[in-house]
Amino acid sequence: MLQIMYISSAANCAPIDVAQILTVSRRNNERDGVTGFLYADGRRFLQVLEGPAEAVERAFARIGGDTRHRAVVTLSRREIAAREFGDWAMAHRMPGSDSDALLAQIAERLETASPNVRATFEGFAKIRRAA
Ligand SMILES: Cc1cc2nc3c(=O)[nH]c(=O)nc-3n(C[C@H](O)[C@H](O)[C@H](O)COP(=O)(O)O)c2cc1C
């Protein structure tokens, strides 16, 4: 099984319809055996995708080509023995108390990541805490 984590920024100042993204994501992900969560406040995104490698690669390729966001930075791409973030077709998180625990869980997974990737993620987490 493959796990991909990335962060990105909303493409422009117009608010993004996260509900619409989630509806499409849940339909596709359920069909393809992809799970994970989308951490979104309309300005920045942090997403984890998990599932069969081919299905995750396909979903990530579609997402990467989506013009609603930009500056997609892959934080981590690794083989996993089992899903680490639950069975949700695509759970949704917003800034708040539960998201601190979530960010800590991700930080743990990034311990072996390059300093560059860690710095990118830490910058993201800092912005989120201030939000
Ligand atoms: C931040 C973000 C996260 C997304 N996450 C998913 C996802 O988990 N699964 C998915 O199928 N599409 C996701 N999408 C939507 C895809 O980019 C694309 O619009 C969609 O997969 C097209 O589906 P369709 O071909 O069934 O219309 C996401 C889009 C954005 C902007």
Side-chain angles (χ1 to χ4, degrees), residues 11-40:
N12 53 46
C13 297
I16 284 197
D17 189 348
V18 176
Q20 194 271 340
I21 290 175
L22 287 170
T23 301
V24 171
S25 299
R26 285 172 181 150
R27 188 195 62 214
N28 290 345
N29 295 354
E30 213 156 284
R31 178 194 65 205
D32 300 337
V34 172
T35 55
F37 71 85
L38 177 65
Y39 183 62

Side-chain angles (χ1 to χ4, degrees), residues 8 20 25 39-40 59 63-64 68 77 84 94 96 116-117:
S8 66
Q20 194 271 340
S25 299
Y39 183 62
I63 295 165
R68 288 173 290 185
R77 168 192 289 270
E84 294 179 342
M94 290 196 298
N116 210 4
V117 163

Side-chain angles (χ1 to χ4, degrees), residues 27-70:
R27 188 195 62 214
N28 290 345
N29 295 354
E30 213 156 284
R31 178 194 65 205
D32 300 337
V34 172
T35 55
F37 71 85
L38 177 65
Y39 183 62
D41 62 5
R43 285 181 299 146
R44 299 288 304 266
F45 299 102
L46 168 62
Q47 189 171 34
V48 173
L49 300 163
E50 298 183 332
E54 244 178 63
V56 169
E57 296 282 15
R58 253 194 332 264
F60 189 50
R62 277 200 314 272
I63 295 165
D66 195 317
T67 54
R68 288 173 290 185
H69 65 167
R70 60 181 177 78

